[in-house]
Amino acid sequence: MVRLFCCLGKKVCVKCTDDTIGDLKKLIAAQTGTGWNKIVLKKWYMIFKDHVSLGDYEIHDGMNLELYYQ
């Protein structure tokens, strides 16, 4: 389960397997009701790209990411 914290204070928990960042954004969009293409996922200064898998970024269960809207 990946925990996401929005800059507006919203918290989202999403269950995902070894998907891509784009797939993760679509799961988040289904829970939050926003468009998946307006979601930006970050960790510190690094913005995650849609086509890269979660495993390549070493995103594991229980990890916290920053969730922003464009």
Side-chain angles (χ1 to χ4, degrees):
M1 186 170 316
V2 177
R3 291 186 191 98
L4 304 162
F5 295 100
C6 178
C7 60
L8 301 174
K10 186 182 289 187
K11 295 179 184 178
V12 179
C13 289
V14 179
K15 250 187 194 182
C16 54
T17 57
D18 196 26
D19 296 333
T20 63
I21 295 293
D23 296 335
L24 178 60
K25 285 183 179 183
K26 290 175 185 172
L27 291 172
I28 295 165
Q31 278 194 0
T32 60
T34 60
W36 72 271
N37 54 348
K38 298 200 179 279
I39 294 173
V40 177
L41 296 176
K42 286 177 142 184
K43 184 72 173 182
W44 290 84
Y45 59 89
M46 185 167 65
I47 297 173
F48 297 120
K49 308 258 187 239
D50 289 346
H51 65 279
V52 182
S53 71
L54 299 175
D56 290 341
Y57 279 127
E58 297 181 2
I59 297 175
H60 307 293
D61 289 344
M63 189 167 183
N64 295 328
L65 300 177
E66 299 165 17
L67 172 63
Y68 295 94
Y69 299 111
Q70 288 182 347

